Amino acid sequence: MEQSVHKKIIEMEQVSFAYDGDDSPVWQGLNCYFEEGTVNLLLGPSGCGKSTLLYMLNGIVPNFYEGKAEGHIWFRGEDILEKKTKDMVQYVGMVFQNPETQFCTFTVEDELAFGLENENAPRDEIDSRIDEVLDMVGMGTFRKSLLTSLSGGQKQKIAIASVLVMQSEILILDEPTANLDAVSRTEVFSLLKQLVDRYGKTIILVEHNLEQLLDKTGHVIVLDGQNKVCLEGSASHVLRNLVYNPEFRNLNIFLPEKYLIVKEWINALDRVPQVVDFRERQLAGRGEAILPIDEFAGLFQKLAVFSSVDTCSGTVHRPGDKVVEACGLGYAYRGREDAVLKRIDIRIESKDFVAVVGANGAGKSTFLKVLFRVLFPYQGSLRVGGKELDGYDKKLLYRDFGLVFQNPEDQFVTNKVYDELMFSLKKSGMGEAEKEKRVTDMLERFHLYSEREKSPFLLSQGQKRRLSVAAMLLTGQKVLILDEPTYGQDYDNQRELMELMRELNKEGVTIIVVTHDMALVADYADKVIVLADGKTEFCGPPEDIFDNMDAVKKGKLQIPSSLSFSRELRSYVEEIPSFFSRGRMTDYLIRCVKEV
């Protein structure tokens, strides 16, 4: 067991919890701790109870989300489970997965002032605190803005600011960067580190984007598929075990790309003596690099037989009929001086697999709302199936186009998972037996059958996302649009979901994905549209975007780390090509050795 360098601030002792109406507990007999004055990271597969654990730390569970709780959660000698939520507010502040669930007012200024006004803070102090936290999160010019006018990423920043303004000692965040662009994500992680180093805050968070976070993390807790703590310790200790320990080879955890590549390479070649020896030496390592590039490259060079490979996207562009065509498209929200969409020029054809990317506030979500006639009137031209949108029949539009929302809760209309899918088939004309069969098949396909009697709103964020996608797939639209589809998904579920999208695309469905995940773009898209400041900066194949540094910079995009990893390896083994796609790089590295 590792020796901790920080004091324990919260300790969970034999904690169990079951939501009202659930036969089985979320977890049973859970034991773990969180360290004071550092970043504590909670990892685990989708649906393993990470969010529930966070909610228990500030009393939301079981005081708001009711159920049966057992055990103890110790905070400075007192049991949190015996306290009301209001008793913990002065110590613990929380930022939810969906920031809109915690907003109480209409403007940024009022939202940040809300808690302070309830504490009767002086007006001067309120003003100075608001200015301070807005500068900290990079939103200083948005003080007077309506919350409804903000992008998803901007709303997340304001949610973080609303907790910071209360000066809570412990800050809990549930996937705070899931909807942020690469630049904003870096800013948030740097902010969290600053809160620890400069202000002595304790951070507890659930997060899938680990690329820039692990070096800022002091303590890591890992839950397994059986909802038990299977690993706990420093970031280096946990990461080394997740990559090299055979005991955790099937544990569904998102890791930075280079570690995923190496882990899958080792697992695929675990009967090769030299690979086994490398794995065991790295697992036993102390204080050295978790992945010594020179050693890995040397081993690979000894084992590999090299062959040519296509390093571009695995998809092939197939010209088809025009599905969506925008020319000079513009839109301005009422009350805002600047238009969100200034000039959008794009063309999407049938059977395309399109990724729409760009910084927070670039206009991606607004474009979708205009396309679905939620926002109108628009300027310029937007044609669907060759016909101007404002003359396109709404029923036909919603029959042919399916939209999976950024926040899954926004599209739920029933109180049971099973009923949610049945509702999608309400006007399908199918018989009841056929409906029941299709719904059951879809529940099993998306690993939701065991949750069929549960409320959609009580699912984990990853489960909610899978349910929202399943509900849309049941009705068989010709064009499927997904807004941040991998938000809240663990590694296996994300890959399964995107492979399903690829299958549908091969069957003729046009797929449009709005995302910040450039690894997803590299692995699946055959066309990329970059929006920046309400304009189209790029429209073309994914391999070209990464050579267009102007569009990358304006879109605040992050080049997939598989590219830097492949180039790093190439400095030792010149035969290794450069890869944008993690999947294609992994396959290549495995195949080169297996061919021996």
Side-chain angles (χ1 to χ4, degrees), residues 145-158:
S145 298
L146 289 170
L147 292 170
T148 53
S149 71
L150 303 181
S151 70
Q154 291 167 335
K155 288 175 183 176
Q156 189 65 279
K157 289 184 179 181
I158 296 303

Side-chain angles (χ1 to χ4, degrees), residues 177-180 185 189 207-213 254:
T177 72
N179 290 326
L180 300 186
R185 186 161 57 241
F189 288 153
E207 181 60 65
H208 284 309
N209 294 306
L210 306 184
E211 203 80 47
Q212 299 164 291
L213 179 63
F254 247 119

Side-chain angles (χ1 to χ4, degrees), residues 207-459:
E207 181 60 65
H208 284 309
N209 294 306
L210 306 184
E211 203 80 47
Q212 299 164 291
L213 179 63
L214 285 174
D215 64 338
K216 302 175 179 65
T217 301
H219 185 67
V220 182
I221 300 164
V222 183
L223 297 176
D224 63 16
Q226 286 70 49
N227 303 359
K228 296 183 181 297
V229 175
C230 62
L231 262 176
E232 188 169 14
S234 68
S236 60
H237 168 75
V238 169
L239 183 56
R240 191 179 296 277
N241 274 274
L242 290 177
V243 175
Y244 298 114
N245 195 332
E247 181 181 348
F248 307 114
R249 65 180 297 168
N250 296 319
L251 189 58
N252 188 5
I253 302 292
F254 247 119
L255 299 174
E257 285 197 333
K258 66 178 180 181
Y259 296 117
L260 280 175
I261 291 169
V262 171
K263 180 176 182 176
E264 292 184 9
W265 185 80
I266 289 173
N267 290 343
L269 303 169
D270 61 357
R271 295 186 180 183
V272 179
Q274 297 95 322
V275 173
V276 174
D277 180 63
F278 172 80
R279 182 190 67 196
E280 292 177 351
R281 281 187 286 107
Q282 302 315 313
L283 182 59
R286 293 288 185 273
E288 306 135 3
I290 294 171
L291 176 57
I293 300 296
D294 56 344
E295 191 173 344
F296 176 74
L299 173 62
F300 178 75
Q301 189 168 35
K302 289 178 182 178
L303 297 175
V305 170
F306 299 99
S307 59
S308 61
V309 63
D310 177 14
T311 61
C312 300
S313 171
T315 55
V316 179
H317 181 66
R318 307 170 301 274
D321 297 332
K322 287 183 287 188
V323 172
V324 176
E325 187 175 26
C327 184
L329 177 66
Y331 181 81
Y333 285 96
R334 186 177 300 175
R336 285 186 59 171
E337 294 181 5
D338 293 335
V340 177
L341 303 182
K342 298 180 175 67
R343 184 174 182 86
I344 303 297
D345 299 292
I346 62 173
R347 174 171 171 164
I348 298 173
E349 299 170 339
S350 63
K351 303 180 183 180
D352 274 352
F353 197 124
V354 181
V356 182
V357 300
N360 296 124
K364 302 183 300 296
S365 294
T366 299
F367 170 69
L368 294 186
K369 291 176 182 177
V370 172
L371 177 60
F372 276 84
R373 297 182 64 175
V374 175
L375 298 177
F376 56 86
Y378 57 85
Q379 291 77 47
S381 174
L382 180 57
R383 302 177 71 83
V384 175
K387 189 174 183 178
E388 193 64 36
L389 180 66
D390 56 13
Y392 201 92
D393 185 271
K394 265 193 175 183
K395 289 183 178 179
L396 291 178
L397 180 68
Y398 298 151
R399 183 198 68 186
D400 294 339
F401 285 67
L403 173 63
V404 178
F405 293 9
Q406 189 178 77
N407 295 315
E409 298 96 327
D410 292 346
Q411 68 189 82
F412 294 154
V413 293
T414 72
N415 289 317
K416 280 172 57 175
V417 169
Y418 183 87
D419 292 344
E420 191 69 30
L421 295 187
M422 287 295 285
F423 185 85
S424 296
L425 299 176
K426 188 175 181 180
K427 296 183 178 181
S428 65
M430 298 179 188
E432 285 303 309
E434 176 63 16
K435 287 181 185 178
E436 291 173 4
K437 182 180 184 305
R438 292 192 65 175
V439 166
T440 299
D441 289 346
M442 194 64 74
L443 287 170
E444 291 176 345
R445 187 175 193 178
F446 281 84
H447 311 299
L448 291 170
Y449 186 77
S450 61
E451 315 293 334
R452 63 192 181 281
E453 298 298 321
K454 187 180 287 188
S455 167
F457 300 96
L458 292 180
L459 298 176

